[in-house]
Amino acid sequence: MGLVATDYGIKEALAQLGVIEINDGSSTGSNFFSNGELLSSFSPVDGKLIAKVKTTTAEDYENVLSTASDAFLEWRKVPAPQRGEVVRQFGDKLRELKDPLGKLVSYEMGKSLQEGLGEVQEMIDICDFAVGLSRQLHGLTMHSERPGHRMYEQYHALGIVGIISAFNFPVAVWAWNTALAWICGDVCVWKPSEKAPLCGIACQNIAAQVFKANGLPEGISCLINGDYKVGEMMTSDQRVPLVSATGSIRMGKIVAQKVAGRLGKSLLELGGNNAIIVSPDADIKMTIIGAVFGAVGTAGQRCTSTRRLIIHDSIYDKVKDALVEAYSQLRIGNPLDENNHVGPLIDVDAVNMYKKAIEEVVKEGGNLLLEGGVLDGEGYESGCYVKPAIAEANNKFNIVQHETFAPILYLLKYSGELQNAIALQNGVVQGLSSAIMTNNLREAEMFLSVAGSDCGIANVNIGTSGAEIGGAFGGEKETGGGRESGSDAWKVYMRRQTNTINYTADLPLAQGIKFDL
Ligand code: NAD
């Protein structure tokens, strides 16, 4: 069975994106040549099978790698601003196909249509960023200590960049990596999440069209599909100098060791355990909006989702009551219907993790203010819709220390100085996103100082979730330390070379060493 007729115009969207059904019941697209077992993609929206795709075998992988290696030899010679022009065209194609791609993201992953479209917009934005960057891949020049010598550094393309991505941002994370890697002169091999393989095929089709129209080799953008075993083909492959992996901390620890074992580079974007500090000087209205969106947006399945709210005891009850009231307004249901605020979790395994976490917090002594629960009945047939939960908890609880990828918000109380709240905020192994809600300048600056938040992202009067592509994105500690997207994140996709040129007839040695012959 291949593509099925579904509501919501998904079949039309897949056709617009060039995802086609072939004779053997699998679905495919351009430049995707896999011959392994079939992988079924079910929608968490209604539980229906959307399509099946073939996974990549070891033999297919070898073909992909050799196509990518050949393509690299051509692509690296194209001047960077011309590579930028190709990325510009890719961004334009995404503008054209924003609606069907956003819809597919929403249907295959379960986030709201608006968030699906927002994800495609992020892809467009990173393309724009990369186009400008293609004329700014600067190195420094230095003064040589030797007379008649010139010294400078330059950046060269690295080679094949392996991208392993998570289910929750099934298209944007790929673009954050590829748009930069391409302008840097690299070629990319992508293994999308096995939970969103059709998004992978759709993106590959868009890229393939653009490269073909420019007479460029197909291996600049490659797709492989399957579970962690297919990912492992890249992590253990010496021909892939950089592996950019987005996903759980558990996965990151395995990938990091595998890649380091062959002295490759890895860029890790792993789980978070993000908190908002609510100080006595917080604007409560803004706090509630930021906290609710952060905790229930994408059904709590963002790496930057708000998991913990650290509230000063002087305003604790006020914030708690306002939160419970705001949660009572939430509408849970089909994410393609814009009247709903919360869509489904990705699958039934995720629902089980959610249920287990709620049981766990109670067992550890937490107090459920909103106990959550799984929804059933009409519109909830997939079994993936859950009610957002709120629990009063303690930072020391084992469950609070872990990221549960679901809409569960823990309320923690602090008293006295801001440093007490910062200690709680930093008192977890993850270090992705953090925020403070305050109108007090001293508190805001303290939170951002070296003695403040230890996260890669620290915001003032903005929640933890959502980031602009212009800044470098990533986190510290067990979040993995990687940075991608904006600022100077491009440097990880290139190799740096230091060059010294002697334009004299003598050969003076560095450090004043004499070596007379
Ligand atoms: P996951 O770790 O289960 O899978 C992520 C990807 O890694 C998948 O493509 C999977 O096939 C692959 N993979 C798993 N084990 C592997 C291995 N041993 N070798 C190679 N590849 C392997 O994560 P998920 O459930 O898809 O996504 C949710 C997680 O991702 C959350 O922890 C979330 O916080 C994190 N995430 C982080 C960021 C970030 O930027 N920091 C962004 C999105 C998601």
Side-chain angles (χ1 to χ4, degrees), residues 165-168 191 194 246-248 251 269-271 303 403 473:
S165 60
F167 79 85
N168 66 327
K191 193 204 84 63
E194 56 273 44
T246 301
S248 58
M251 174 280 283
E269 297 282 355
L270 311 175
C303 50
E403 177 197 48
F473 181 86

